[in-house]
Structures are given as structure tokens and as C-alpha cells.
Amino acid sequence: MKVQAISLYLAALMVSSPASLTELISAEEGLYYGNVSWAIEHLERALKLDPDDPDALFSLATVYLEQREMRDARPLLDRIIELDPYDDDARFLLAQTLWQLDERDQARAVLYTLLMRHPKSEAGLALLSKLDHQVEPPGWLTLLQNHTRLEVGAG
């Protein structure tokens, strides 16, 4: 949580709206001190002020994933990709989310899009292999601990 809190703080510094900045910093404080409900409340407020803020969307999605609220995280990840079709970190987390929700065909489609741009992505290829071999997804804590940022390789 502390690493995410620090990255959220740094992302908040680049937000132009002072009101959004205040909400993102409050969310960062909540995450830093382990007060997840506080963080969610302030991330939701930031999104009311700017519904298309990619940092708030991504941060709230990852908080929901850590809380095992995959169905709440999914529309946020979809929105990030809608806003930026080249956000491969969100695309990869969406594929993992769909896998966890047992929506393997959709997860596979999301991964194919990612792999078309980054055919040597070890993380993408590994997840696709697991989908193809019907491997059961691990718990979300394991997925999030192993996901820092997508390493796509030269592709």
C-alpha cells in the first residue's frame, strides 16, 4: 500500500485541478496509513470532479482489486482504455481481472490486442498461456504483488 500511496502522491502533483489534487493527496494519505475506505472515498470524490482523470481511475481500480472487488474495478479499467487505448498497464490488469471473473474469452481478446503491439511481452505471453491451459487464477494479492508495471520488451 505504501508504494501505491507514494506513486499516487507523485501522480497527484501533475493534476491541474486544485480540488482534484486535494482529493488525491487525501487518498494517498489514507493508503499510506492503511485506511482504505478513506482512500476510496477521496478517489471517488476526485472522479466526481474529473471523471476522466486517469490517475484517479487507475488508483481506484487497483484499490478495488486489492479489496477483491473485481466487478467494481472492471469499469474503471475499461474507462482508462477507452480514454487511452495505448495504456498497456490498464489493459494487462483488465485481462487479469477478466481472468479472475472467469471471462476467459474476453481476457484473451484483451491480451491479443496487447500482444499485437508488444509480441515479446513476457507477462502477456505468460497470462495467455495460463488462459490457454485453463490454469485457475491465483488470489488477487498475488497478482497485485507481482504487478509493478508491465514490461513489454522490444516489440
Side-chain angles (χ1 to χ4, degrees):
M1 281 288 198
K2 290 185 180 182
V3 172
Q4 181 183 358
I6 292 167
S7 65
L8 177 58
Y9 174 75
L10 294 174
L13 293 177
M14 297 185 291
V15 175
S16 59
S17 165
S20 291
L21 177 61
T22 301
E23 296 301 335
L24 289 172
I25 290 173
S26 293
E28 173 265 328
E29 288 174 4
L31 291 174
Y32 186 82
Y33 291 109
N35 190 339
V36 176
S37 60
W38 174 271
I40 290 172
E41 178 183 334
H42 286 278
L43 288 168
E44 288 173 346
R45 285 184 193 173
L47 287 171
K48 284 181 183 173
L49 295 168
D50 183 0
D52 295 335
D53 181 335
D55 296 317
L57 287 164
F58 192 86
S59 295
L60 186 55
T62 56
V63 169
Y64 281 148
L65 292 175
E66 288 176 359
Q67 297 302 304
R68 304 180 65 85
E69 300 292 338
M70 287 78 69
R71 295 198 188 288
D72 291 330
R74 181 182 177 180
L76 299 170
L77 294 168
D78 284 332
R79 181 68 182 141
I80 294 167
I81 295 167
E82 182 181 318
L83 292 168
D84 180 5
Y86 295 98
D87 188 329
D88 292 329
D89 290 319
R91 190 173 299 279
F92 186 74
L93 281 179
L94 177 61
Q96 289 181 317
T97 301
L98 292 167
W99 178 35
Q100 188 74 21
L101 292 170
D102 202 29
E103 297 179 28
R104 292 173 187 265
D105 290 338
Q106 289 180 336
R108 199 173 281 110
V110 169
L111 279 173
Y112 286 150
T113 302
L114 177 97
L115 290 169
M116 285 173 45
R117 283 197 300 274
H118 306 287
K120 296 180 183 178
S121 167
E122 291 181 24
L125 291 169
L127 183 54
L128 183 62
S129 175
K130 290 175 184 176
L131 284 166
D132 288 343
H133 292 96
Q134 302 295 318
V135 174
E136 289 302 312
W140 270 105
L141 184 58
T142 303
L143 287 175
L144 288 170
Q145 286 174 339
N146 292 335
H147 179 77
T148 51
R149 283 290 189 193
L150 182 63
E151 302 207 10
V152 293

